Amino acid sequence: MSAPLRIGVLGASRIADAAIVAATRETGDVRASVAARDPDRALRYAADRGFASAAESYAALVADDSLDLVYIGLPNALHAEWAVRALAAGRNVLVEKPFAANLAEFDGVAAAMERAPGWAWEAFHYADHPALHLLVDVVRAGGIGELRGVDVHVDMPAPGADDPRWSFELAGGALMDLGCYALHALLLLGDALAGSVLPAAAAPELLSARARRWVHDDRVDAEVVAELDLGGVPVRVHTSMVSPEWNFGLRVSGTLGEAVLPNFVKPQEDGRLIVRTTTGAGAEERVEDVGSAASYAYQLRRVREAVRSGEHSAAGLERSRRTMALIDAVYARAGLPPRPGRLSTSRA
């Protein structure tokens, strides 16, 4: 095991509770410092969650040379700006998804990474969990036959109207908050299966997209449905922030059956992989459960190893860029504007 990381957190947020506070209890990494827009809130958060200190501002936290990693759990519109500021200060960065508000902002962060000693990782924690790897192994091995379709749902009931996830100015919307998981998962599957059950050069092609606009701001998507082609395989992505129920399901269909992750985004809540097949021997259902260990802990362990070894994964960064490009493309096809960012006005 490598030495624990000293972690600073930007944003006394709900997502930081899961991604850092709970995860460090499993990994043993150090909750060193936290900063919030309101310094008093940072002090309360630090005391409640066991941080060693609270920084007086975001800028003060990223300037702290004792930190090995800065986690950015701020609203989407602030991700790129503070990633660039932290990189310029010499920090390594774990930034919440989506990496930026739009593709141009992503490229701004990537340019900053070329000049910085550190690196930035996007927090698609689900991709580090064994459940996702197990599904890939089953499909790659031909366990459901030839690939015939992929269906991804990332749906949740509506948050309150004052929730920042509804704010256009803060780069909100269903696709940004939830649908980015589906697009990233599609790219991950394409990369993992290329050359086996998919053509070697398989890349998703966006065929159509439509959006249901939020009743209070028609620039913001409450629901998005997109259809894509992945190496000749039809893909349907559905994401909603106005669903009557939670649904984070990933289904891969083949000529012999299907492989399903009922909750691929939060496998710690349902870590089952369900494989259903029908062959000459009859119908069969097999269920494998990889347990309740949190995907956030798997993610943090991977990032710690990368920080300690100095590994800078170009493949992971390129997948993040393709995800951001797909987000922009879906918005354009659905007739919605790209999310506004703030990197161009940053003083970093």
Side-chain angles (χ1 to χ4, degrees):
M1 293 291 291
S2 57
L5 297 175
R6 287 180 51 80
I7 301 173
V9 169
L10 291 183
S13 59
R14 180 179 60 250
I15 187 61
D17 282 343
I20 299 299
V21 176
T24 53
R25 290 177 182 140
E26 294 189 44
T27 65
D29 294 294
V30 178
R31 299 186 290 281
S33 185
V34 61
R37 185 173 53 182
D38 177 357
D40 288 338
R41 178 174 177 176
L43 285 168
R44 293 193 300 271
Y45 191 91
D48 291 344
R49 273 81 166 178
F51 281 81
S53 66
E56 64 183 19
S57 65
Y58 297 159
L61 187 140
V62 301
D64 184 349
D65 288 333
S66 76
L67 300 177
D68 300 304
L69 182 71
V70 170
Y71 168 78
I72 300 174
L74 302 170
N76 296 339
L78 303 178
H79 289 180
E81 174 184 349
W82 282 100
V84 167
R85 289 183 179 228
L87 287 163
R91 309 283 83 80
N92 290 290
V93 179
L94 176 61
V95 58
E96 257 312 315
K97 55 76 196 166
F99 210 114
N102 53 57
L103 183 59
E105 274 208 331
F106 176 94
D107 287 340
V109 179
M113 291 167 68
E114 293 179 359
R115 304 187 296 268
W119 198 250
W121 296 268
E122 188 173 19
F124 277 117
H125 54 93
Y126 82 92
D128 289 300
H129 197 277
L132 192 282
H133 302 164
L134 189 58
L135 178 141
V136 168
D137 290 344
V138 167
V139 176
R140 185 190 285 136
I144 58 171
E146 296 179 13
L147 200 56
R148 287 292 181 264
V150 180
D151 187 82
V152 194
H153 276 259
V154 199
D155 307 329
M156 64 173 280
D162 61 347
D163 192 290
R165 287 172 288 184
W166 288 122
S167 170
F168 181 74
E169 288 73 18
L170 293 178
L175 188 63
M176 293 292 285
D177 187 60
L178 297 172
C180 58
Y181 281 114
L183 297 179
H184 187 270
L186 174 59
L187 290 165
L188 190 155
L189 285 172
D191 292 345
L193 300 176
S196 54
V197 297
L198 286 174
E205 176 188 357
L206 179 61
L207 303 178
S208 69
R210 61 186 186 275
R212 174 181 173 186
R213 299 167 187 250
W214 188 42
V215 64
H216 298 296
D217 188 338
D218 64 6
R219 300 170 299 174
V220 177
D221 47 311
E223 184 175 62
V224 173
V225 179
E227 295 179 345
L228 306 97
D229 178 277
L230 181 63
V233 176
V235 176
R236 184 177 185 272
V237 167
H238 183 279
T239 185
S240 174
M241 289 204 304
V242 289
S243 172
E245 60 185 8
W246 295 86
N247 183 358
F248 290 165
L250 171 59
R251 182 187 308 273
V252 182
S253 304
T255 52
L256 299 179
E258 63 182 14
V260 179
L261 291 174
N263 193 341
F264 83 100
V265 175
K266 295 183 177 181
Q268 57 269 24
E269 296 180 4
D270 187 344
R272 294 176 299 156
L273 171 66
I274 305 168
V275 181
R276 303 183 181 99
T277 56
T278 303
T279 64
E284 178 184 357
E285 178 175 289
R286 174 167 55 91
V287 178
E288 297 195 38
D289 195 330
V290 296
S292 59
S295 50
Y296 298 103
Y298 285 105
Q299 172 181 257
L300 191 51
R301 290 189 185 99
R302 173 181 59 84
V303 171
R304 180 173 68 197
E305 292 305 316
V307 169
R308 292 306 184 204
S309 67
E311 175 195 347
H312 294 172
S313 171
L317 185 64
E318 178 59 21
R319 188 177 300 131
S320 288
R321 187 182 193 278
R322 287 184 287 148
T323 301
M324 200 74 250
L326 262 181
I327 290 171
D328 280 4
V330 171
Y331 275 135
R333 185 66 65 91
L336 289 171
R339 307 298 91 169
R342 303 187 181 188
L343 187 55
S344 61
T345 61
S346 169
R347 292 171 294 173

